[in-house]
């Protein structure tokens, strides 16, 4: 489960590392969305436990990812990180 960045982590990470961490979150979010599609296994699981466990796990995962993304965004703002293209052009890597 994803956790928010601690102040120490945010301080040590470069803009590039923050951008990579944010990209990883986007990929995990896409994977969650992808696996949330209904197929015979999810229907069988729903019938077995009314889908409550799966829905709760998905909701908790999405909340954790959202919290981590917000902490990364805050770190990027405090470090004055721009887009990855801007960093490459200027050579910034703070």
């Amino acid at each position: 489960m994803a956790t928010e960045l601690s102040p120490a982590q945010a301080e040590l990470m470069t803009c590039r590392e923050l951008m990579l961490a944010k990209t990883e979150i986007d990929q995990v979010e896409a994977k969650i969305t992808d696996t949330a599609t209904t197929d015979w296994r999810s229907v069988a699981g729903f019938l077995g436990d009314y889908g409550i466990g799966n829905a709760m796990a998905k909701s908790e995962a999405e909340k954790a990812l959202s919290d981590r993304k917000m902490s990364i965004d805050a770190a990027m703002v405090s470090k004055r990180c721009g887009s990855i293209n801007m960093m490459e052009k200027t050579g910034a890597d703070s």
Side-chain angles (χ1 to χ4, degrees):
M1 183 97 34
T3 59
E4 291 182 48
L5 288 180
S6 71
Q9 287 173 311
E11 181 65 30
L12 292 173
M13 292 176 79
T14 65
C15 290
R16 182 169 303 220
E17 290 168 333
L18 290 166
M19 190 60 128
L20 287 171
K22 195 170 175 180
T23 301
E24 289 171 358
I25 290 171
D26 291 339
Q27 291 170 349
V28 172
E29 286 175 332
K31 209 174 261 190
I32 288 172
T33 301
D34 219 20
T35 58
T37 57
T38 304
D39 61 8
W40 71 269
R41 289 176 297 231
S42 58
V43 171
F46 180 80
L47 294 175
D49 70 357
Y50 303 105
I52 295 168
N54 291 342
M56 287 174 51
K58 179 183 176 204
S59 177
E60 289 172 7
E62 288 173 334
K63 168 98 173 74
L65 288 170
S66 175
D67 290 348
R68 183 164 177 87
K69 190 183 279 189
M70 287 188 340
S71 66
I72 291 170
D73 287 341
M76 291 178 77
V77 168
S78 74
K79 288 181 173 269
R80 297 186 182 130
C81 300
S83 70
I84 194 74
N85 292 335
M86 180 63 101
M87 287 187 290
E88 288 172 354
K89 287 179 185 173
T90 63
D93 194 35
S94 15

